[in-house]
Amino acid sequence: MSRRYNVGVLCPTCRADDTKVVDSRLAEEGAAIRRRRQCLTCSDRFTTFERVDHAPLSVRKSTGESEPFDRSKVVAGIGAATKGRGVLETDLALMATRIEDAVRLQGSEVTSAVVGLAVLDELRAVDDVSYLRFASVYKHFDAAADFHRELELMEKQAPRPGVGASG
């Protein structure tokens, strides 16, 4: 028996709002529900995602200026750090979700430093080279000694349990 949901989701093909859900699955590590829908007017199938609508999150920059949290900036930053390291785009999206979730725990306004540290934590768990790439920009490395110091810090810190970093 299929259930019909008339919730105003418009079919992208014919713009009708009479659709039924044909499949539902957890997505984004449980942070969303992926629904396959079928339009009852034109029979087109399409996907929708249901996510919790969080309160707006803002980031206070080092200049004192505040701006809305921009997930695409996080994805771009971790994408640049992981370029050529075998990290999939879907993994980047999941990492960005975990980063956003982690910084949301700090409140509705966080500093850019909190975001940067959350990115470093995530990259540390994924790949040491990517971590060092991001750290070199984030921490403004200007000499080889900076890389050496960061490597020493990494060796002192125990890797997160259950997560293997490649090197």
Side-chain angles (χ1 to χ4, degrees), residues 132 135-144 146-150:
L132 282 171
S136 71
V137 174
Y138 177 72
K139 296 182 177 185
H140 308 290
F141 289 6
D142 58 6
D146 295 329
F147 284 93
H148 183 69
R149 184 184 67 247
E150 195 67 30

Side-chain angles (χ1 to χ4, degrees), residues 16-153:
D17 69 352
D18 196 14
T19 64
K20 72 176 181 179
V21 175
V22 293
D23 183 42
S24 292
R25 297 177 186 205
L26 288 179
E28 299 174 11
E29 296 184 339
I33 299 174
R34 175 188 175 274
R35 298 196 195 279
R36 282 297 288 164
R37 294 180 177 270
Q38 182 172 14
C39 177
L40 296 177
T41 302
C42 73
S43 297
D44 186 37
R45 287 186 175 214
F46 59 98
T47 302
T48 60
F49 287 88
E50 181 180 321
R51 293 179 182 87
V52 172
D53 189 13
H54 293 285
L57 177 62
S58 17
V59 178
R60 173 117 3 234
K61 309 289 265 177
S62 58
T63 61
E65 184 181 330
S66 187
E67 64 181 44
F69 177 84
D70 187 350
R71 174 189 275 259
S72 65
K73 285 185 177 182
V74 173
V75 171
I78 59 179
T82 59
K83 185 175 181 177
R85 300 296 300 161
V87 178
L88 303 174
E89 281 194 42
T90 53
D91 294 333
L92 296 179
L94 291 173
M95 291 168 67
T97 297
R98 288 191 296 266
I99 291 164
E100 184 176 358
D101 290 347
V103 299
R104 275 190 187 282
L105 294 175
Q106 306 294 316
S108 61
E109 182 174 81
V110 296
T111 64
S112 57
V114 167
V115 176
L117 291 173
V119 171
L120 284 172
D121 284 346
E122 191 66 33
L123 287 172
R124 174 75 165 105
V126 171
D127 180 60
D128 289 346
V129 172
S130 300
Y131 170 90
L132 282 171
R133 285 178 177 171
F134 189 85
S136 71
V137 174
Y138 177 72
K139 296 182 177 185
H140 308 290
F141 289 6
D142 58 6
D146 295 329
F147 284 93
H148 183 69
R149 184 184 67 247
E150 195 67 30
L151 282 169
E152 286 178 346
L153 285 172

